[in-house]
Amino acid sequence: MVDVVFLCIGCVVVLCVIQLLRLITADCDLVLQWASKFGKSPKRLRGKVVWVTGASSGIGESLVYELASVGCRLVLSARREEELNRVKKQCLTCGPLQDNDIMVVPLDMVKQHEHADAVKKVLQHFKQIDILVNNAGRSQRAEWVKTSVVVDREMLETNVLGPLSLTKAVLPDMIARRDGHIVVMSSVAGKVGGLLPGSYTGTKYALHGWFERLRIEQYSDNINVTMVCPGPVYSNLLAIAMTEEKGKVVGGEMDAGEKRMATSRCASLTAVAIANQLDEVWISFHPVLAYTYVYQYLPSIARSQACKRGIFQFRKSREGQ
Ligand SMILES: NC(=O)c1ccc[n+]([C@@H]2O[C@H](COP(=O)([O-])OP(=O)(O)OC[C@H]3O[C@@H](n4cnc5c(N)ncnc54)[C@H](OP(=O)(O)O)[C@@H]3O)[C@@H](O)[C@H]2O)c1
């Protein structure tokens, strides 16, 4: 009997050590890490019609290359049509797709009145939309107290109301077919309050509120929701990141010395999350990943340390995401 107890304790200790090692070496949460090794491959998405917003650069661009390589039919959206055409050309070189399998649909997330027409166009061409990836978004570098409410509103229009409007336009087709998947590009800033400027953080938190409810309401219609929360990723995000003032952008490029993930890695993990219909994933290097775990499970300790030690205080540099 004593031997069995020791054996059980030994097994638990070994399992804990393995989990700890996996966590220390991870660049994503443990469920996604597991899915990327033992779960369904993104190859199962072959033939699906996937609409990716913000496909003209950064994470969205890398994601469409990933999806093109497994044979997803694609709808590429963003405001810059010439960039979308460049991305389309590249997609045609990295997979089995033909010209007709990729549709370029220029779209401004803020122009909600154009969303229904865009959906109509896509449905006329592909007959259905299987997956919508709400990726388009803008970041921010600003101090809370100096930020104009006009900027707060503009961030909400782009990062929250735009995705809501497009999702509402796409859902009726998915619900009628009782099959659909909504993917939302949030951020660890949507899980860890105070990591990044107020308007950006607010928009990412808001996405969780709105889309968590959608998940519950449409579960019986077989509509899945995946929230993707990346930490720092190299992209063109600073070029159009908002500041405290309306119309003023941060501009420039990210510092190559910063510890950030490549968009290709973020995109391949996102594709795994989509293929496995995971409900929420965190994609980041440490220490941001570790901090996200601490904030999620020990929020009071995380908050008090952040305040007392001045971690994440507003910095004049252009760090963060
Ligand atoms: N990079 C990071 O560290 C990081 C971390 C966590 C989360 N994220 C999130 O990931 C998403 C993609 O960002 P990224 O890092 O790949 O930045 P990015 O390279 O700047 O890409 C942003 C994309 O959104 C599009 N976009 C911006 N405003 C738009 C609008 N009003 N209407 C339509 N499209 C619009 C841009 O295209 P056009 O300019 O052509 O319209 C571009 O394709 C964002 O939601 C961002 O919040 C990024």
Side-chain angles (χ1 to χ4, degrees), residues 53-60 77-81 83 107-110 134-139 158-159 185-188 200 204 228-238 240 254 260 263 320-321:
T53 68
S56 63
S57 75
I59 299 171
S77 285
R79 292 166 301 178
R80 291 169 298 163
E81 190 170 2
E83 285 303 304
L107 191 72
D108 189 334
M109 296 311 292
V110 173
N134 283 304
N135 166 73
R138 289 179 67 179
S139 189
T158 310
N159 290 3
M185 193 58 71
S186 174
S187 164
V188 291
Y200 183 72
K204 295 302 185 185
V228 182
C229 305
V233 175
Y234 276 108
S235 73
N236 301 319
L237 185 137
L238 283 182
I240 54 168
M254 288 172 175
R260 285 176 175 273
T263 52
Q321 69 280 6

Side-chain angles (χ1 to χ4, degrees), residues 24 31-32 45 63 109 129 134 194 203 208 235 240 256 262 303:
I24 289 167
V31 176
L32 180 55
L45 300 173
L63 181 62
M109 296 311 292
I129 298 159
N134 283 304
T203 62
H208 286 267
S235 73
I240 54 168
R303 279 192 200 108

Side-chain angles (χ1 to χ4, degrees), residues 301-315:
I301 293 175
R303 279 192 200 108
S304 76
Q305 287 305 308
C307 291
K308 282 182 197 150
R309 292 171 188 266
I311 317 173
F312 312 134
Q313 282 289 5
F314 176 68
R315 281 163 287 192

Side-chain angles (χ1 to χ4, degrees), residues 107-258:
L107 191 72
D108 189 334
M109 296 311 292
V110 173
K111 294 185 180 159
Q112 292 173 29
H113 58 281
E114 295 179 2
H115 293 180
D117 273 353
V119 172
K120 220 190 219 172
K121 242 200 261 173
V122 174
L123 287 176
Q124 266 163 9
H125 184 80
F126 283 124
K127 308 289 177 255
Q128 67 189 64
I129 298 159
D130 297 301
I131 303 170
L132 169 66
V133 183
N134 283 304
N135 166 73
R138 289 179 67 179
S139 189
Q140 185 193 29
R141 298 292 174 277
E143 202 173 343
W144 202 103
V145 74
K146 290 182 184 162
T147 304
S148 150
V149 175
V150 178
V151 171
D152 289 324
R153 187 174 295 126
E154 216 175 317
M155 290 291 290
L156 279 168
E157 290 280 353
T158 310
N159 290 3
V160 183
L161 299 178
L164 283 180
S165 158
L166 190 59
T167 304
K168 283 173 199 266
V170 160
L171 272 174
D173 163 68
M174 292 181 170
I175 293 170
R177 291 186 297 106
R178 295 180 67 80
D179 189 16
H181 191 170
I182 306 294
V183 181
V184 182
M185 193 58 71
S186 174
S187 164
V188 291
K191 301 301 294 179
V192 179
L195 194 57
L196 286 168
S199 333
Y200 183 72
T201 302
T203 62
K204 295 302 185 185
Y205 263 75
L207 288 171
H208 286 267
W210 254 290
F211 283 95
E212 283 301 338
R213 181 62 198 177
L214 174 66
R215 182 201 308 289
I216 303 298
E217 279 188 21
Q218 297 305 146
Y219 178 77
S220 56
D221 282 322
N222 196 27
I223 307 297
N224 285 285
V225 174
T226 296
M227 304 298 297
V228 182
C229 305
V233 175
Y234 276 108
S235 73
N236 301 319
L237 185 137
L238 283 182
I240 54 168
M242 292 192 209
T243 57
E244 292 141 348
E245 268 173 64
K246 182 179 164 56
K248 191 174 160 201
V249 295
V250 176
E253 286 176 8
M254 288 172 175
D255 182 348
E258 286 176 33

Side-chain angles (χ1 to χ4, degrees), residues 12-63:
V12 169
V13 170
V14 169
L15 277 176
C16 288
V17 171
I18 291 172
Q19 284 297 85
L20 199 63
L21 283 176
R22 282 180 60 207
L23 196 58
I24 289 167
T25 56
D27 61 359
C28 61
D29 68 82
L30 288 175
V31 176
L32 180 55
Q33 204 187 6
W34 182 270
S36 70
K37 290 207 171 73
F38 308 111
K40 293 169 188 151
S41 157
K43 284 183 188 150
R44 74 186 287 270
L45 300 173
R46 189 187 175 94
K48 298 262 184 211
V49 177
V50 189
W51 188 346
V52 181
T53 68
S56 63
S57 75
I59 299 171
E61 178 178 351
S62 290
L63 181 62

